[in-house]
Amino acid sequence: MLKRILVLFAVLGLTATAAPEASAYEPVNIVHTERVQVGPYGMTVGFSVWPLRAMQSLDFTFIPDGGIDGKTGTLAQIGPVGGMSRMQPLARHPRKRDVWGLDVRSLKSAGEWTFRFRIDGPQGSGTGELRGLTVLGQPGPPMALSWSISILPLIALVAFLVIAWRRTRSRLVTADAAV
């Protein structure tokens, strides 16, 4: 009996250790990189999709030379139309914890974008920009057409419910009049 209990605990222990591996996140696949000098720090900016398109989600990674330990940084995204976004602190990428990054983000409009960085670290602080980041138009049909097509089933459902309600109501009214 004791032997069976030990075997059961061993099997449960093996499945418990295998479970986190099954639910692990996909790694970040960097398909294109750009170099930028941020004061005394060199930095590699990685993209999970290339070429960039407006409204297309992708991962960005920001890897300063020497790693991120002992450093802090901020990022501002400057778009072609909307001007500068607010400065946001660079945080660890949720799926690639040894670098800074943005997880599943998209750039809102097509055109020339600029990423402005500021890094504070042991060699002092510095600023730098990645200019001329070309973002192509949105993939697929225009957003208005996509929404129009996707709302057609909802319109059909509302029409069906209105017709069904009117037919049922007219039957209830004639039934009440007969009583």
Side-chain angles (χ1 to χ4, degrees):
M1 180 69 174
L2 182 61
K3 196 174 191 179
R4 288 182 184 169
I5 292 174
L6 291 175
V7 168
L8 178 64
F9 279 120
V11 168
L12 290 175
L14 287 176
T15 56
T17 58
E21 293 174 17
S23 65
Y25 291 110
E26 290 282 326
V28 178
N29 295 325
I30 297 173
V31 298
H32 182 78
T33 60
E34 296 279 339
R35 289 288 295 169
V36 61
Q37 191 65 34
V38 185
Y41 308 100
M43 183 162 62
T44 303
V45 179
F47 305 91
S48 65
V49 173
W50 194 261
L52 300 177
R53 294 190 171 271
M55 303 298 289
Q56 181 181 29
S57 297
L58 70 149
D59 290 311
F60 297 96
T61 57
F62 310 108
I63 310 165
D65 295 345
I68 62 174
D69 293 333
K71 298 178 184 124
T72 60
T74 58
L75 165 70
Q77 299 172 5
I78 304 166
V81 178
M84 187 169 125
S85 70
R86 65 178 171 78
M87 295 289 281
Q88 64 184 55
L90 288 172
R92 291 181 188 264
H93 192 284
R95 292 181 285 135
K96 192 172 178 70
R97 304 291 296 161
D98 57 334
V99 300
W100 291 322
L102 301 173
D103 185 33
V104 191
R105 292 283 180 95
S106 66
L107 300 174
K108 304 268 184 244
S109 59
E112 295 292 318
W113 283 74
T114 300
F115 285 1
R116 183 175 296 152
F117 300 97
R118 178 173 173 84
I119 296 179
D120 295 310
Q123 297 174 348
S125 66
T127 58
E129 291 184 346
L130 176 59
R131 294 176 182 254
L133 194 58
T134 303
V135 177
L136 303 175
Q138 173 189 350
M143 193 64 80
L145 178 62
S146 296
W147 278 100
S148 299
I149 291 171
S150 67
I151 204 158
L152 288 177
L154 178 62
I155 292 171
L157 175 65
V158 168
F160 171 77
L161 291 175
V162 166
I163 292 169
W165 176 72
R166 291 181 80 196
R167 287 185 179 180
T168 305
R169 192 175 133 240
S170 65
R171 288 182 186 161
L172 291 175
V173 169
T174 55
D176 286 341
V179 173

